[in-house]
Structure formats: C-alpha cells, structure tokens
Amino acid sequence: MMRGANEIRSYPLRAEHAVARTLADSDDAGPMQSKLLAAIGEALGWPTGAIWEAPVAQDDPMCCVETWHVPGTDLEAFATITRGTRLVRGEGLPGRVWASAAPAWLADVGADSNFPRAAAAVRAGLHAAFCFPVRSGGRVLGAIEFFDRGWREPDEELLATMAILGGQIGQFVERRRAEQAVSDSEQLKRAMLDAALDAVVTIDEHSRIVDFNMAAERIFGCSREQVLGHDMAETIIPPWLRERHRLGLARYLRTGAGDVLDRRVEIVGMRADGAEFPVELTITRVDLPGAPRFTGFLRDITDRRRAETDLKASRARIVEAADAERRRIERNLHDGAQQRLVWVGYGLRTARQALDRDPSAAAEALDEAIAGLAQAGDELRELARGIHPAVLSEGGLEPALTILAERSVTLVELDLTPEERFPAAIETAAYFVVAEALTNVARHASAGRLNVSAKRVDGALVVEVADDGCGGADLGRGSGLRGLADRVSALSGTFAVTSVPGKGTIVRAEFPCG
Ligand SMILES: Nc1ncnc2c1ncn2[C@@H]1O[C@H](COP(=O)(O)OP(=O)(O)OP(=O)(O)O)[C@@H](O)[C@H]1O
Ligand SMILES: [Mg+2]
C-alpha cells in the first residue's frame, strides 16, 4: 500500500482530529474504546487494532479489552486470538510498550522473535505493526496496537503523534475513572442515606433543603422533589418554632456559636398535613469547605413518648393502688382488731382490780378478754387472708381459684391446669384477676353462666373469666380492671377485656412464664 507525500504528512493529523472528536463525543467507556480504535484505524488506513489494559500489579499479565477491524474483512480470527491473549510485562508488542513506556514499531511481526501471535498474524496476512502506550501521570495504563497488511519501515512522525495521543487518551481515561469513582460514591451515599431509618435532612446556609432521604419522605409525608430548594423551616418545623430556628441559624452564621449542634435534643416536627409530633434531633455541620451546610438526623419518637406516658400513668396508678390498699388495711386494723385489743386491755385491767374483792367479776372480765382476743385473732387472720390468701401460697392456683369459685353467687364452670405451680408473683396476679372479675360479674353482669379457666398455653399462663351477662365493661369507668391491666403489664403480660353489650364479657390475662 503506497501513499503520496502530502498524505503521509496529513494522516497523523487526521488521526489526531479523529481521536479528539471521539473523546469529546464519548459518554460511555465501552463504546468509546471501539470508536477510538475505528477513528485511528480509519484515519491511518491500518485495518485492525486492539486496546490492552495494564494491570495495577506489575506481575499480573495485561489483557486485551477491545479489538477493531475494518468491517467485511477476514481479520476476525486474529481479533479473537488477540482477545484471548495474556501478555506479561515485556512480552510481545504491547508488553514491550508497557515495560518501556514508549511507542514501538515492527516492520514485520512474522520475523520478530518476541511476538507470540506471529503465526496467527501471518495467517491473517498482517505484517507491519505499531503500538503506543496510554499514559497518565507517568503510569502506563495500557497500550494501543495497530496492524497493516504490508511490510513497513518505522514512521517516526506517526509514532511521535501516537505518543502524544496516548497521553491525551490516558488523561481522558483517568478523568473518566475519577468521575466514575465520584459517581459510585455518590450512589453509595444515596443508598446508605435511603436505607437509614432516621430522617436525614441537609440544608444550606439559607435554610434551603438540599437533601432529603427516604425516611424523611416517610416521616414528614412529602417527597424529595417537593421539598428540595424550599425553606426547611416552612416545610418541617411548626409555625411557632420557626422564628427560633431562624434566629439560631443566623446567630450561628454570625458568631459561630450554636447551642443545638452535635447533641441530641427533643423538639417538635410538623408533617405535610400540619400535624405536629415529637422528634429527637441531632444537627451537625457538614465538614466540607465552602458555604456552611447542616445535616439534621431526626427520629419520630411519638411511640416512645406514648409508651413513657403510659408507663408513668401506670406507675402512678400502682402507687395509688398500693396507698389505697394500705389505707384499707389501716382502717380495718383500726376499726377491727385494734378496737378489740383496746377492750381486751380494758377487761384485763378490770379483772386485775376486781381480783381481790370480787373474784367472780374478775373471772367474767377475764372470759370477755379471752373472747375478745379470739375475735381479734380471727379478724387479723381474715385481714391477712385478704392481702394474700394462705391457700394460694400453700396449694397454688387450683385450690385458691376453687375457693373463689365456691363463693360466687353465679354458678362457675372451672377449667384449671391441675396442681401446676407458677412463680409466686404470677400466681398472685392471676388470683387477683379472677377475684376482681368474679366480683365484677356479681356486681355488674347479671350473668347466668360463668366460666373460669387457668391453663398453661405455649410457655404462658392464660387466665380467662367469661360470663354471659350484660357486657359493656369499660376500663375507664372504675379502678378494678385498670388496676388489673397494670398488675399484668408489670409482669410483662398482656391483659384484654372483650365486652360487647348484650353478649357478655371475657377478661383475659396472659403471663409469659417460659
Ligand atoms: N363482667 C362485667 N359485666 C358487665 N359490666 C362490667 C363487667 N365488669 C365490669 N363492668 C363494667 O365496667 C366498669 C369498670 O369495671 P371496674 O372493675 O374497673 O370498676 P368497678 O367494678 O366499677 O369499680 P372497682 O374499682 O371497685 O372495681 C364497671 O363499672 C362496670 O360498669
Ligand atoms: Mg370492679
């Protein structure tokens, strides 16, 4: 293949232009490589070429990442062999260029002793070859090779041009890699932010929202697109708190002093529908140069607050119930045993005075004192039984519930796990559930039938009192059922009252006791 003198001068230039155009137009690494090979090959009139990538580790082989040949030619077999070839540093034409970091020219690959693909090249009718390094910042990223059908002596001008192009391509590849790394890390950051359970909201120094993750969309009820660029105060802060936010931000920007940065505070947030809710908030300043930006991490603590409020109320009720119980015992002691003992003391004094002068009166007073003591004993026993029935601690739930059932005015069907014992606190709570439920049936239900069951079900003690009375039981009306709910939940159990007017009532408590 012969070329005129002008053409010889112009074809490296054409290749340069073609490469510049390809790099400028390309937005994807894959097609860019094949376009680059085609651009150079067509500009130079060399029918086939390949791009090789040098590994980061010097001991690994380089491999071919792209081949190109003039369409419709019989060069596919050679391209296939090239794509399957691995070359260590210094081996073959690309390996040599990798090692020397300089372009190389072979007038006839078939006659070169360091060209592993020689036989395939000769079969394809290829002879001349040149190769130049793709370099960036002194490192060889890879090599680009081209083959021609004729024998050709080295063209120094062409090689010099290709060396320059190799530098440009290298810079381009490096820049593309850096961009890809940034884009990968952006995507990773987005995915991490979106996987977070807490709302993450970033604002600029004008309080405009610049980022809003998926949890924020969920918690505040508005989409990222809707809020980006909008004033954060107007978007997620209730009106009565906005001024405080604005003043705080302005003061921080002016003086660098802020009292909410880098610590957890509990404040109030606002959903898109205007509903206010408690949030836990941590604000940090984004540690990047440029205009200040702030990221807020927000957690909806509505459930936690509610649980805290419930817990406080339940504790207060337990304390109140214990106080009421103490008052009842005090009153019973005062009105009962204490009175008797006062009278016993009085009787004993009378007997002591009458002993010498009226022995029969003394004996009578002593008899009264003895009877009074017996009554005081009975009353104390009765009182103690009300606090904790002895039969429960001695025999467990079965005998204790049986005695409760026997006292009931309505006939009770009993369904009890025989003789099994549970932790004392659970037995006591279960006993009180049944006692209160039975009292309620007698007071409120007008029931015909009553069923009491206490059984172990899957590692839990389940106690149930069901009546067929008027229904309509309501935890809010008295203190009995609510007291039971507190007692049961204090033991990590669950308590439920199902009571439909006209359809009876079921009181159910479940105590985990695995
Ligand atoms: N088995 C039932 N059948 C129908 N109504 C019931 C039944 N149990 C309770 N109730 C209704 O639910 C209300 C609340 O019951 P709860 O035991 O909490 O209070 P109480 O029995 O009225 O008073 P106390 O505080 O002395 O127990 C009752 O006032 C009653 O109206
Ligand atoms: Mg009651």
Side-chain angles (χ1 to χ4, degrees):
M1 211 183 285
M2 292 296 292
R3 290 188 176 93
N6 282 343
E7 210 185 339
I8 288 171
R9 300 248 164 281
S10 67
Y11 65 76
L13 196 63
R14 275 213 310 272
E16 241 183 293
H17 288 163
V19 167
R21 254 199 323 277
T22 309
L23 297 185
D25 291 350
S26 77
D27 46 16
D28 194 345
M32 188 276 274
Q33 291 178 337
S34 64
K35 278 191 208 153
L36 196 63
L37 287 175
I40 300 174
E42 281 162 9
L44 300 179
W46 290 55
T48 182
I51 299 182
W52 294 77
E53 197 170 271
V56 178
Q58 303 275 314
D59 295 339
D60 291 342
M62 67 193 319
C63 49
C64 171
V65 291
E66 188 68 49
T67 59
W68 165 87
H69 58 82
V70 174
T73 57
D74 53 354
L75 295 167
E76 184 52 41
F78 179 68
T80 305
I81 286 174
T82 296
R83 285 196 296 270
T85 302
R86 300 279 177 276
L87 298 170
V88 294
R89 210 168 142 80
E91 186 185 17
L93 183 56
R96 240 177 285 186
V97 168
W98 177 20
S100 67
W105 187 289
L106 298 179
D108 179 10
V109 294
D112 193 272
S113 57
N114 181 12
F115 192 83
R117 289 168 290 159
V122 170
R123 269 201 307 281
L126 298 170
H127 294 282
F130 73 85
C131 181
F132 60 95
V134 174
R135 305 162 47 139
S136 172
R139 191 170 98 74
V140 176
L141 305 176
I144 298 180
E145 63 179 4
F146 279 93
F147 297 88
D148 200 0
R149 294 189 189 279
W151 284 261
R152 284 171 175 253
E153 288 312 312
D155 178 337
E156 294 304 332
E157 189 191 357
L158 176 63
L159 280 186
T161 306
M162 291 301 137
I164 293 167
L165 282 188
Q168 289 171 0
I169 296 170
Q171 278 172 14
F172 176 84
V173 170
E174 200 76 321
R175 203 166 55 239
R176 173 60 61 75
R177 280 185 189 166
E179 282 166 10
Q180 189 60 43
V182 170
S183 150
D184 287 353
S185 101
E186 284 287 320
Q187 280 177 15
L188 181 67
K189 189 190 95 185
R190 182 84 261 140
M192 280 163 56
L193 281 178
D194 283 341
L197 294 177
D198 290 351
V200 183
V201 179
T202 302
I203 57 168
D204 64 14
E205 80 267 38
H206 304 295
S207 183
R208 281 185 305 236
I209 297 175
V210 294
D211 204 356
F212 203 74
N213 74 341
M214 271 163 69
E217 292 184 326
R218 206 168 48 239
I219 290 171
F220 291 102
C222 40
S223 74
R224 187 177 143 82
E225 284 68 34
Q226 281 171 331
V227 303
L228 282 189
H230 287 254
D231 178 14
M232 192 263 281
E234 300 284 336
T235 314
I236 62 171
I237 297 182
W240 54 277
L241 264 176
R242 285 177 196 161
E243 199 49 28
R244 211 170 106 189
H245 160 75
R246 289 190 183 114
L247 290 175
L249 179 62
R251 187 164 52 119
Y252 176 80
L253 293 173
R254 212 174 46 246
T255 64
D259 49 7
V260 292
L261 280 189
D262 300 319
R263 54 194 193 86
R264 276 179 224 280
V265 288
E266 291 191 2
I267 59 154
V268 179
M270 186 187 75
R271 296 187 220 282
D273 62 4
E276 297 181 10
F277 63 105
V279 290
E280 185 184 87
L281 163 74
T282 311
I283 305 179
T284 55
R285 183 176 165 164
V286 178
D287 191 14
L288 283 176
R293 269 172 294 166
F294 305 89
T295 294
F297 301 85
L298 301 108
R299 180 172 300 178
D300 182 346
I301 54 169
T302 308
D303 291 346
R304 193 172 86 195
R305 277 284 175 79
R306 190 175 301 135
E308 282 167 6
T309 311
D310 287 354
L311 187 64
K312 268 191 206 140
S314 152
R315 279 199 189 129
R317 286 196 300 269
I318 287 174
V319 170
E320 172 55 33
D323 285 350
E325 184 64 5
R326 257 201 307 277
R327 283 196 296 274
R328 187 184 70 82
I329 294 168
E330 184 190 343
R331 171 112 294 123
N332 285 354
L333 282 172
H334 173 271
D335 297 350
Q338 195 178 332
Q339 303 300 320
R340 304 249 173 251
L341 292 175
V342 169
W343 279 105
V344 168
Y346 178 75
L348 288 175
R349 266 196 306 280
T350 310
R352 174 78 186 80
Q353 284 160 6
L355 201 56
D356 299 330
R357 56 182 166 80
D358 189 352
S360 71
E364 200 179 313
L366 279 176
D367 284 344
E368 273 177 27
I370 290 166
L373 265 182
Q375 278 175 349
D378 287 348
E379 265 164 24
L380 284 175
R381 247 193 312 282
E382 185 62 28
L383 193 61
R385 193 175 303 132
I387 297 168
H388 191 98
V391 62
L392 182 61
S393 29
E394 281 157 23
L397 275 177
E398 195 198 15
L401 298 187
T402 307
I403 290 173
L404 278 185
E406 281 163 0
R407 283 196 208 146
S408 164
V409 186
T410 314
L411 187 68
V412 179
E413 259 173 58
L414 272 177
D415 186 1
L416 307 176
T417 303
E419 286 177 15
E420 188 175 1
R421 297 303 304 259
F422 299 91
I426 290 180
E427 285 188 341
T428 307
Y431 175 85
F432 281 119
V433 168
V434 176
E436 171 64 21
L438 289 181
T439 308
N440 278 354
V441 172
R443 284 172 65 192
H444 314 295
S446 324
R449 292 168 62 93
L450 236 175
N451 184 287
V452 174
S453 76
K455 288 189 205 166
R456 179 184 277 278
V457 181
D458 297 336
L461 169 64
V462 178
V463 177
E464 220 173 74
V465 177
D467 68 66
D468 64 351
C470 61
D474 177 4
L475 263 76
R477 219 171 302 148
S479 62
L481 290 175
R482 224 186 23 230
L484 292 182
D486 293 342
R487 230 182 233 283
V488 176
S489 76
L491 294 168
S492 308
T494 51
F495 179 76
V497 177
T498 315
S499 186
V500 181
K503 297 234 164 93
T505 300
I506 301 174
V507 174
R508 184 178 198 275
E510 184 170 332
F511 304 89
C513 51

